[in-house]
PDB file of all heavy atoms in Angstrom:
ATOM      1  N   VAL A  15       6.413   2.540   3.574  1.00 95.00           N
ATOM      2  CA  VAL A  15       7.448   1.777   4.260  1.00 95.00           C
ATOM      3  C   VAL A  15       7.304   2.094   5.738  1.00 95.00           C
ATOM      4  O   VAL A  15       7.360   3.258   6.141  1.00 95.00           O
ATOM      5  CB  VAL A  15       8.866   2.156   3.769  1.00 95.00           C
ATOM      6  CG1 VAL A  15       9.921   1.324   4.498  1.00 95.00           C
ATOM      7  CG2 VAL A  15       8.985   1.995   2.273  1.00 95.00           C
ATOM      8  N   THR A  16       7.099   1.044   6.546  1.00 94.00           N
ATOM      9  CA  THR A  16       6.841   1.234   7.962  1.00 94.00           C
ATOM     10  C   THR A  16       7.343   0.033   8.752  1.00 94.00           C
ATOM     11  O   THR A  16       7.585  -1.025   8.180  1.00 94.00           O
ATOM     12  CB  THR A  16       5.327   1.438   8.212  1.00 94.00           C
ATOM     13  OG1 THR A  16       5.086   1.608   9.596  1.00 94.00           O
ATOM     14  CG2 THR A  16       4.514   0.285   7.681  1.00 94.00           C
ATOM     15  N   THR A  17       7.486   0.199  10.041  1.00 92.00           N
ATOM     16  CA  THR A  17       7.818  -0.932  10.904  1.00 92.00           C
ATOM     17  C   THR A  17       6.556  -1.478  11.556  1.00 92.00           C
ATOM     18  O   THR A  17       6.605  -2.467  12.271  1.00 92.00           O
ATOM     19  CB  THR A  17       8.825  -0.522  11.992  1.00 92.00           C
ATOM     20  OG1 THR A  17       8.302   0.576  12.724  1.00 92.00           O
ATOM     21  CG2 THR A  17      10.168  -0.163  11.382  1.00 92.00           C
ATOM     22  N   SER A  18       5.430  -0.855  11.300  1.00 91.00           N
ATOM     23  CA  SER A  18       4.147  -1.298  11.858  1.00 91.00           C
ATOM     24  C   SER A  18       3.419  -2.184  10.859  1.00 91.00           C
ATOM     25  O   SER A  18       3.524  -1.995   9.659  1.00 91.00           O
ATOM     26  CB  SER A  18       3.258  -0.092  12.157  1.00 91.00           C
ATOM     27  OG  SER A  18       3.881   0.778  13.061  1.00 91.00           O
ATOM     28  N   GLN A  19       2.654  -3.129  11.380  1.00 92.00           N
ATOM     29  CA  GLN A  19       1.797  -3.924  10.509  1.00 92.00           C
ATOM     30  C   GLN A  19       0.517  -3.132  10.305  1.00 92.00           C
ATOM     31  O   GLN A  19      -0.115  -2.699  11.260  1.00 92.00           O
ATOM     32  CB  GLN A  19       1.483  -5.279  11.121  1.00 92.00           C
ATOM     33  CG  GLN A  19       0.703  -6.162  10.191  1.00 92.00           C
ATOM     34  CD  GLN A  19       0.655  -7.603  10.679  1.00 92.00           C
ATOM     35  OE1 GLN A  19       1.289  -7.957  11.667  1.00 92.00           O
ATOM     36  NE2 GLN A  19      -0.095  -8.422   9.987  1.00 92.00           N
ATOM     37  N   LEU A  20       0.158  -2.908   9.055  1.00 93.00           N
ATOM     38  CA  LEU A  20      -1.008  -2.103   8.728  1.00 93.00           C
ATOM     39  C   LEU A  20      -2.178  -2.983   8.303  1.00 93.00           C
ATOM     40  O   LEU A  20      -1.983  -4.016   7.664  1.00 93.00           O
ATOM     41  CB  LEU A  20      -0.680  -1.125   7.592  1.00 93.00           C
ATOM     42  CG  LEU A  20       0.463  -0.145   7.834  1.00 93.00           C
ATOM     43  CD1 LEU A  20       0.689   0.713   6.598  1.00 93.00           C
ATOM     44  CD2 LEU A  20       0.198   0.720   9.047  1.00 93.00           C
ATOM     45  N   SER A  21      -3.364  -2.528   8.626  1.00 93.00           N
ATOM     46  CA  SER A  21      -4.580  -3.184   8.162  1.00 93.00           C
ATOM     47  C   SER A  21      -4.943  -2.584   6.815  1.00 93.00           C
ATOM     48  O   SER A  21      -5.136  -1.371   6.692  1.00 93.00           O
ATOM     49  CB  SER A  21      -5.712  -2.953   9.165  1.00 93.00           C
ATOM     50  OG  SER A  21      -6.957  -3.199   8.566  1.00 93.00           O
ATOM     51  N   GLU A  22      -5.030  -3.431   5.800  1.00 93.00           N
ATOM     52  CA  GLU A  22      -5.365  -2.954   4.456  1.00 93.00           C
ATOM     53  C   GLU A  22      -6.696  -2.205   4.468  1.00 93.00           C
ATOM     54  O   GLU A  22      -6.831  -1.147   3.852  1.00 93.00           O
ATOM     55  CB  GLU A  22      -5.437  -4.148   3.500  1.00 93.00           C
ATOM     56  CG  GLU A  22      -5.783  -3.768   2.084  1.00 93.00           C
ATOM     57  CD  GLU A  22      -5.800  -4.970   1.152  1.00 93.00           C
ATOM     58  OE1 GLU A  22      -5.265  -6.032   1.501  1.00 93.00           O
ATOM     59  OE2 GLU A  22      -6.362  -4.819   0.058  1.00 93.00           O
ATOM     60  N   THR A  23      -7.671  -2.724   5.196  1.00 94.00           N
ATOM     61  CA  THR A  23      -8.987  -2.098   5.278  1.00 94.00           C
ATOM     62  C   THR A  23      -8.904  -0.698   5.875  1.00 94.00           C
ATOM     63  O   THR A  23      -9.524   0.237   5.368  1.00 94.00           O
ATOM     64  CB  THR A  23      -9.935  -2.978   6.127  1.00 94.00           C
ATOM     65  OG1 THR A  23      -9.951  -4.287   5.575  1.00 94.00           O
ATOM     66  CG2 THR A  23     -11.335  -2.425   6.141  1.00 94.00           C
ATOM     67  N   GLU A  24      -8.109  -0.546   6.943  1.00 96.00           N
ATOM     68  CA  GLU A  24      -7.978   0.765   7.584  1.00 96.00           C
ATOM     69  C   GLU A  24      -7.262   1.767   6.681  1.00 96.00           C
ATOM     70  O   GLU A  24      -7.643   2.932   6.618  1.00 96.00           O
ATOM     71  CB  GLU A  24      -7.247   0.630   8.918  1.00 96.00           C
ATOM     72  CG  GLU A  24      -8.055  -0.071   9.982  1.00 96.00           C
ATOM     73  CD  GLU A  24      -7.288  -0.261  11.284  1.00 96.00           C
ATOM     74  OE1 GLU A  24      -6.168   0.271  11.417  1.00 96.00           O
ATOM     75  OE2 GLU A  24      -7.825  -0.947  12.169  1.00 96.00           O
ATOM     76  N   VAL A  25      -6.215   1.323   5.989  1.00 96.00           N
ATOM     77  CA  VAL A  25      -5.474   2.215   5.088  1.00 96.00           C
ATOM     78  C   VAL A  25      -6.401   2.704   3.976  1.00 96.00           C
ATOM     79  O   VAL A  25      -6.443   3.898   3.665  1.00 96.00           O
ATOM     80  CB  VAL A  25      -4.228   1.506   4.508  1.00 96.00           C
ATOM     81  CG1 VAL A  25      -3.594   2.339   3.398  1.00 96.00           C
ATOM     82  CG2 VAL A  25      -3.217   1.225   5.604  1.00 96.00           C
ATOM     83  N   ILE A  26      -7.169   1.801   3.393  1.00 96.00           N
ATOM     84  CA  ILE A  26      -8.087   2.162   2.305  1.00 96.00           C
ATOM     85  C   ILE A  26      -9.167   3.109   2.822  1.00 96.00           C
ATOM     86  O   ILE A  26      -9.522   4.082   2.154  1.00 96.00           O
ATOM     87  CB  ILE A  26      -8.678   0.895   1.658  1.00 96.00           C
ATOM     88  CG1 ILE A  26      -7.564   0.174   0.888  1.00 96.00           C
ATOM     89  CG2 ILE A  26      -9.847   1.226   0.743  1.00 96.00           C
ATOM     90  CD1 ILE A  26      -7.926  -1.205   0.390  1.00 96.00           C
ATOM     91  N   ALA A  27      -9.664   2.866   4.031  1.00 96.00           N
ATOM     92  CA  ALA A  27     -10.697   3.730   4.617  1.00 96.00           C
ATOM     93  C   ALA A  27     -10.161   5.134   4.889  1.00 96.00           C
ATOM     94  O   ALA A  27     -10.836   6.134   4.618  1.00 96.00           O
ATOM     95  CB  ALA A  27     -11.235   3.110   5.904  1.00 96.00           C
ATOM     96  N   VAL A  28      -8.939   5.218   5.396  1.00 95.00           N
ATOM     97  CA  VAL A  28      -8.335   6.528   5.674  1.00 95.00           C
ATOM     98  C   VAL A  28      -8.154   7.309   4.377  1.00 95.00           C
ATOM     99  O   VAL A  28      -8.441   8.503   4.311  1.00 95.00           O
ATOM    100  CB  VAL A  28      -6.989   6.361   6.428  1.00 95.00           C
ATOM    101  CG1 VAL A  28      -6.160   7.622   6.380  1.00 95.00           C
ATOM    102  CG2 VAL A  28      -7.254   5.961   7.873  1.00 95.00           C
ATOM    103  N   ALA A  29      -7.690   6.645   3.333  1.00 96.00           N
ATOM    104  CA  ALA A  29      -7.513   7.315   2.035  1.00 96.00           C
ATOM    105  C   ALA A  29      -8.852   7.821   1.512  1.00 96.00           C
ATOM    106  O   ALA A  29      -8.937   8.908   0.941  1.00 96.00           O
ATOM    107  CB  ALA A  29      -6.864   6.363   1.034  1.00 96.00           C
ATOM    108  N   GLY A  30      -9.891   7.047   1.729  1.00 96.00           N
ATOM    109  CA  GLY A  30     -11.220   7.443   1.279  1.00 96.00           C
ATOM    110  C   GLY A  30     -11.713   8.722   1.939  1.00 96.00           C
ATOM    111  O   GLY A  30     -12.531   9.447   1.365  1.00 96.00           O
ATOM    112  N   GLN A  31     -11.207   9.032   3.119  1.00 95.00           N
ATOM    113  CA  GLN A  31     -11.601  10.259   3.818  1.00 95.00           C
ATOM    114  C   GLN A  31     -11.236  11.512   3.033  1.00 95.00           C
ATOM    115  O   GLN A  31     -11.846  12.560   3.226  1.00 95.00           O
ATOM    116  CB  GLN A  31     -10.964  10.325   5.208  1.00 95.00           C
ATOM    117  CG  GLN A  31     -11.489   9.292   6.167  1.00 95.00           C
ATOM    118  CD  GLN A  31     -10.766   9.334   7.498  1.00 95.00           C
ATOM    119  OE1 GLN A  31     -10.011  10.261   7.800  1.00 95.00           O
ATOM    120  NE2 GLN A  31     -10.983   8.320   8.316  1.00 95.00           N
ATOM    121  N   VAL A  32     -10.224  11.416   2.181  1.00 95.00           N
ATOM    122  CA  VAL A  32      -9.821  12.572   1.372  1.00 95.00           C
ATOM    123  C   VAL A  32     -10.098  12.339  -0.108  1.00 95.00           C
ATOM    124  O   VAL A  32      -9.518  12.987  -0.975  1.00 95.00           O
ATOM    125  CB  VAL A  32      -8.335  12.958   1.606  1.00 95.00           C
ATOM    126  CG1 VAL A  32      -8.131  13.503   2.995  1.00 95.00           C
ATOM    127  CG2 VAL A  32      -7.403  11.793   1.323  1.00 95.00           C
ATOM    128  N   GLY A  33     -10.966  11.377  -0.409  1.00 95.00           N
ATOM    129  CA  GLY A  33     -11.372  11.146  -1.791  1.00 95.00           C
ATOM    130  C   GLY A  33     -10.389  10.371  -2.637  1.00 95.00           C
ATOM    131  O   GLY A  33     -10.395  10.474  -3.862  1.00 95.00           O
ATOM    132  N   VAL A  34      -9.527   9.582  -1.988  1.00 96.00           N
ATOM    133  CA  VAL A  34      -8.543   8.782  -2.722  1.00 96.00           C
ATOM    134  C   VAL A  34      -8.928   7.313  -2.617  1.00 96.00           C
ATOM    135  O   VAL A  34      -9.191   6.807  -1.526  1.00 96.00           O
ATOM    136  CB  VAL A  34      -7.120   9.001  -2.158  1.00 96.00           C
ATOM    137  CG1 VAL A  34      -6.117   8.081  -2.843  1.00 96.00           C
ATOM    138  CG2 VAL A  34      -6.704  10.455  -2.311  1.00 96.00           C
ATOM    139  N   ALA A  35      -8.983   6.641  -3.752  1.00 97.00           N
ATOM    140  CA  ALA A  35      -9.264   5.205  -3.783  1.00 97.00           C
ATOM    141  C   ALA A  35      -7.945   4.455  -3.927  1.00 97.00           C
ATOM    142  O   ALA A  35      -7.105   4.815  -4.752  1.00 97.00           O
ATOM    143  CB  ALA A  35     -10.184   4.871  -4.945  1.00 97.00           C
ATOM    144  N   LEU A  36      -7.760   3.423  -3.116  1.00 97.00           N
ATOM    145  CA  LEU A  36      -6.548   2.617  -3.156  1.00 97.00           C
ATOM    146  C   LEU A  36      -6.902   1.162  -3.419  1.00 97.00           C
ATOM    147  O   LEU A  36      -7.898   0.653  -2.899  1.00 97.00           O
ATOM    148  CB  LEU A  36      -5.796   2.689  -1.825  1.00 97.00           C
ATOM    149  CG  LEU A  36      -5.266   4.043  -1.380  1.00 97.00           C
ATOM    150  CD1 LEU A  36      -4.597   3.916  -0.011  1.00 97.00           C
ATOM    151  CD2 LEU A  36      -4.287   4.610  -2.391  1.00 97.00           C
ATOM    152  N   VAL A  37      -6.059   0.512  -4.219  1.00 96.00           N
ATOM    153  CA  VAL A  37      -6.168  -0.919  -4.452  1.00 96.00           C
ATOM    154  C   VAL A  37      -4.795  -1.496  -4.150  1.00 96.00           C
ATOM    155  O   VAL A  37      -3.790  -1.077  -4.747  1.00 96.00           O
ATOM    156  CB  VAL A  37      -6.572  -1.243  -5.914  1.00 96.00           C
ATOM    157  CG1 VAL A  37      -6.562  -2.748  -6.144  1.00 96.00           C
ATOM    158  CG2 VAL A  37      -7.930  -0.643  -6.235  1.00 96.00           C
ATOM    159  N   ARG A  38      -4.730  -2.438  -3.227  1.00 95.00           N
ATOM    160  CA  ARG A  38      -3.453  -3.021  -2.806  1.00 95.00           C
ATOM    161  C   ARG A  38      -2.856  -3.842  -3.928  1.00 95.00           C
ATOM    162  O   ARG A  38      -3.554  -4.623  -4.593  1.00 95.00           O
ATOM    163  CB  ARG A  38      -3.679  -3.898  -1.567  1.00 95.00           C
ATOM    164  CG  ARG A  38      -2.454  -4.633  -1.068  1.00 95.00           C
ATOM    165  CD  ARG A  38      -1.657  -3.799  -0.076  1.00 95.00           C
ATOM    166  NE  ARG A  38      -0.390  -4.388   0.247  1.00 95.00           N
ATOM    167  CZ  ARG A  38      -0.162  -5.200   1.264  1.00 95.00           C
ATOM    168  NH1 ARG A  38      -1.139  -5.518   2.078  1.00 95.00           N
ATOM    169  NH2 ARG A  38       1.034  -5.680   1.479  1.00 95.00           N
ATOM    170  N   ILE A  39      -1.576  -3.661  -4.155  1.00 93.00           N
ATOM    171  CA  ILE A  39      -0.816  -4.463  -5.108  1.00 93.00           C
ATOM    172  C   ILE A  39       0.113  -5.340  -4.275  1.00 93.00           C
ATOM    173  O   ILE A  39       1.018  -4.826  -3.623  1.00 93.00           O
ATOM    174  CB  ILE A  39       0.021  -3.582  -6.061  1.00 93.00           C
ATOM    175  CG1 ILE A  39      -0.864  -2.626  -6.831  1.00 93.00           C
ATOM    176  CG2 ILE A  39       0.852  -4.455  -6.998  1.00 93.00           C
ATOM    177  CD1 ILE A  39      -0.087  -1.581  -7.626  1.00 93.00           C
ATOM    178  N   PRO A  40      -0.124  -6.645  -4.243  1.00 85.00           N
ATOM    179  CA  PRO A  40       0.755  -7.521  -3.462  1.00 85.00           C
ATOM    180  C   PRO A  40       2.193  -7.413  -3.969  1.00 85.00           C
ATOM    181  O   PRO A  40       2.439  -7.454  -5.170  1.00 85.00           O
ATOM    182  CB  PRO A  40       0.187  -8.924  -3.699  1.00 85.00           C
ATOM    183  CG  PRO A  40      -1.223  -8.684  -4.141  1.00 85.00           C
ATOM    184  CD  PRO A  40      -1.206  -7.376  -4.875  1.00 85.00           C
ATOM    185  N   MET A  41       3.123  -7.241  -3.043  1.00 74.00           N
ATOM    186  CA  MET A  41       4.524  -7.042  -3.419  1.00 74.00           C
ATOM    187  C   MET A  41       5.097  -8.260  -4.139  1.00 74.00           C
ATOM    188  O   MET A  41       5.968  -8.112  -4.974  1.00 74.00           O
ATOM    189  CB  MET A  41       5.374  -6.728  -2.189  1.00 74.00           C
ATOM    190  CG  MET A  41       5.049  -5.390  -1.553  1.00 74.00           C
ATOM    191  SD  MET A  41       5.388  -3.972  -2.605  1.00 74.00           S
ATOM    192  CE  MET A  41       7.142  -3.847  -2.415  1.00 74.00           C
ATOM    193  N   HIS A  42       4.611  -9.444  -3.877  1.00 65.00           N
ATOM    194  CA  HIS A  42       5.174 -10.628  -4.525  1.00 65.00           C
ATOM    195  C   HIS A  42       4.757 -10.754  -5.990  1.00 65.00           C
ATOM    196  O   HIS A  42       5.295 -11.571  -6.707  1.00 65.00           O
ATOM    197  CB  HIS A  42       4.794 -11.901  -3.762  1.00 65.00           C
ATOM    198  CG  HIS A  42       3.337 -12.220  -3.800  1.00 65.00           C
ATOM    199  ND1 HIS A  42       2.442 -11.687  -2.909  1.00 65.00           N
ATOM    200  CD2 HIS A  42       2.615 -12.994  -4.641  1.00 65.00           C
ATOM    201  CE1 HIS A  42       1.229 -12.124  -3.189  1.00 65.00           C
ATOM    202  NE2 HIS A  42       1.306 -12.928  -4.230  1.00 65.00           N
ATOM    203  N   THR A  43       3.829  -9.908  -6.438  1.00 49.00           N
ATOM    204  CA  THR A  43       3.392 -10.000  -7.833  1.00 49.00           C
ATOM    205  C   THR A  43       4.260  -9.181  -8.771  1.00 49.00           C
ATOM    206  O   THR A  43       4.091  -9.249  -9.970  1.00 49.00           O
ATOM    207  CB  THR A  43       1.926  -9.537  -7.998  1.00 49.00           C
ATOM    208  OG1 THR A  43       1.831  -8.168  -7.605  1.00 49.00           O
ATOM    209  CG2 THR A  43       0.988 -10.391  -7.179  1.00 49.00           C
ATOM    210  N   ILE A  44       5.175  -8.407  -8.220  1.00 49.00           N
ATOM    211  CA  ILE A  44       6.064  -7.616  -9.075  1.00 49.00           C
ATOM    212  C   ILE A  44       7.497  -8.031  -8.797  1.00 49.00           C
ATOM    213  O   ILE A  44       7.854  -8.342  -7.667  1.00 49.00           O
ATOM    214  CB  ILE A  44       5.880  -6.098  -8.845  1.00 49.00           C
ATOM    215  CG1 ILE A  44       6.024  -5.732  -7.378  1.00 49.00           C
ATOM    216  CG2 ILE A  44       4.536  -5.634  -9.364  1.00 49.00           C
ATOM    217  CD1 ILE A  44       5.954  -4.265  -7.092  1.00 49.00           C
ATOM    218  N   GLY A  45       8.298  -8.053  -9.846  1.00 48.00           N
ATOM    219  CA  GLY A  45       9.683  -8.486  -9.699  1.00 48.00           C
ATOM    220  C   GLY A  45      10.512  -7.511  -8.888  1.00 48.00           C
ATOM    221  O   GLY A  45      11.153  -7.875  -7.926  1.00 48.00           O
ATOM    222  N   THR A  46      10.488  -6.263  -9.290  1.00 48.00           N
ATOM    223  CA  THR A  46      11.240  -5.243  -8.563  1.00 48.00           C
ATOM    224  C   THR A  46      10.407  -3.980  -8.560  1.00 48.00           C
ATOM    225  O   THR A  46       9.561  -3.761  -9.410  1.00 48.00           O
ATOM    226  CB  THR A  46      12.589  -4.931  -9.254  1.00 48.00           C
ATOM    227  OG1 THR A  46      12.330  -4.514 -10.592  1.00 48.00           O
ATOM    228  CG2 THR A  46      13.509  -6.132  -9.242  1.00 48.00           C
ATOM    229  N   VAL A  47      10.699  -3.152  -7.580  1.00 50.00           N
ATOM    230  CA  VAL A  47      10.015  -1.856  -7.500  1.00 50.00           C
ATOM    231  C   VAL A  47      10.818  -0.888  -8.345  1.00 50.00           C
ATOM    232  O   VAL A  47      12.049  -0.879  -8.325  1.00 50.00           O
ATOM    233  CB  VAL A  47       9.954  -1.379  -6.031  1.00 50.00           C
ATOM    234  CG1 VAL A  47       9.320  -0.001  -5.946  1.00 50.00           C
ATOM    235  CG2 VAL A  47       9.158  -2.368  -5.193  1.00 50.00           C
ATOM    236  N   ALA A  48      10.118  -0.084  -9.113  1.00 49.00           N
ATOM    237  CA  ALA A  48      10.791   0.888  -9.987  1.00 49.00           C
ATOM    238  C   ALA A  48      11.699   1.778  -9.155  1.00 49.00           C
ATOM    239  O   ALA A  48      11.383   2.121  -8.025  1.00 49.00           O
ATOM    240  CB  ALA A  48       9.746   1.732 -10.702  1.00 49.00           C
ATOM    241  N   PRO A  49      12.853   2.188  -9.686  1.00 50.00           N
ATOM    242  CA  PRO A  49      13.799   3.017  -8.939  1.00 50.00           C
ATOM    243  C   PRO A  49      13.151   4.292  -8.380  1.00 50.00           C
ATOM    244  O   PRO A  49      13.530   4.755  -7.332  1.00 50.00           O
ATOM    245  CB  PRO A  49      14.883   3.362  -9.975  1.00 50.00           C
ATOM    246  CG  PRO A  49      14.783   2.280 -10.989  1.00 50.00           C
ATOM    247  CD  PRO A  49      13.348   1.859 -11.011  1.00 50.00           C
ATOM    248  N   SER A  50      12.168   4.845  -9.053  1.00 50.00           N
ATOM    249  CA  SER A  50      11.537   6.077  -8.565  1.00 50.00           C
ATOM    250  C   SER A  50      10.729   5.824  -7.306  1.00 50.00           C
ATOM    251  O   SER A  50      10.370   6.754  -6.615  1.00 50.00           O
ATOM    252  CB  SER A  50      10.633   6.677  -9.643  1.00 50.00           C
ATOM    253  OG  SER A  50       9.596   5.777  -9.948  1.00 50.00           O
ATOM    254  N   MET A  51      10.426   4.568  -7.007  1.00 50.00           N
ATOM    255  CA  MET A  51       9.631   4.232  -5.833  1.00 50.00           C
ATOM    256  C   MET A  51      10.492   3.920  -4.611  1.00 50.00           C
ATOM    257  O   MET A  51       9.996   3.693  -3.551  1.00 50.00           O
ATOM    258  CB  MET A  51       8.731   3.016  -6.126  1.00 50.00           C
ATOM    259  CG  MET A  51       7.676   3.288  -7.173  1.00 50.00           C
ATOM    260  SD  MET A  51       6.506   4.540  -6.649  1.00 50.00           S
ATOM    261  CE  MET A  51       5.664   3.682  -5.349  1.00 50.00           C
ATOM    262  N   LYS A  52      11.799   3.855  -4.768  1.00 47.00           N
ATOM    263  CA  LYS A  52      12.671   3.516  -3.645  1.00 47.00           C
ATOM    264  C   LYS A  52      12.837   4.681  -2.726  1.00 47.00           C
ATOM    265  O   LYS A  52      12.707   5.785  -3.017  1.00 47.00           O
ATOM    266  CB  LYS A  52      14.030   3.037  -4.135  1.00 47.00           C
ATOM    267  CG  LYS A  52      13.918   1.672  -4.782  1.00 47.00           C
ATOM    268  CD  LYS A  52      15.261   1.157  -5.148  1.00 47.00           C
ATOM    269  CE  LYS A  52      15.159  -0.208  -5.754  1.00 47.00           C
ATOM    270  NZ  LYS A  52      16.413  -0.740  -6.145  1.00 47.00           N
TER     271      LYS A  52
END
């Protein structure tokens, strides 16, 4: 959650620096975010 617009490519690249792979999940594809994610 941020007020900045993020580049998906940059976020994925930064995560890769520590061995984490990320796949973007478009927010419009899910009805609601699970309460644990709020």
Side-chain angles (χ1 to χ4, degrees):
V15 181
T16 179
T17 56
S18 301
Q19 185 168 355
L20 302 178
S21 162
E22 180 178 344
T23 305
E24 290 177 7
V25 170
I26 290 170
V28 164
Q31 292 176 12
V32 292
V34 175
L36 297 178
V37 175
R38 176 88 189 267
I39 301 171
M41 293 296 281
H42 67 274
T43 62
I44 54 176
T46 57
V47 177
S50 62
M51 294 296 292
K52 289 185 178 179

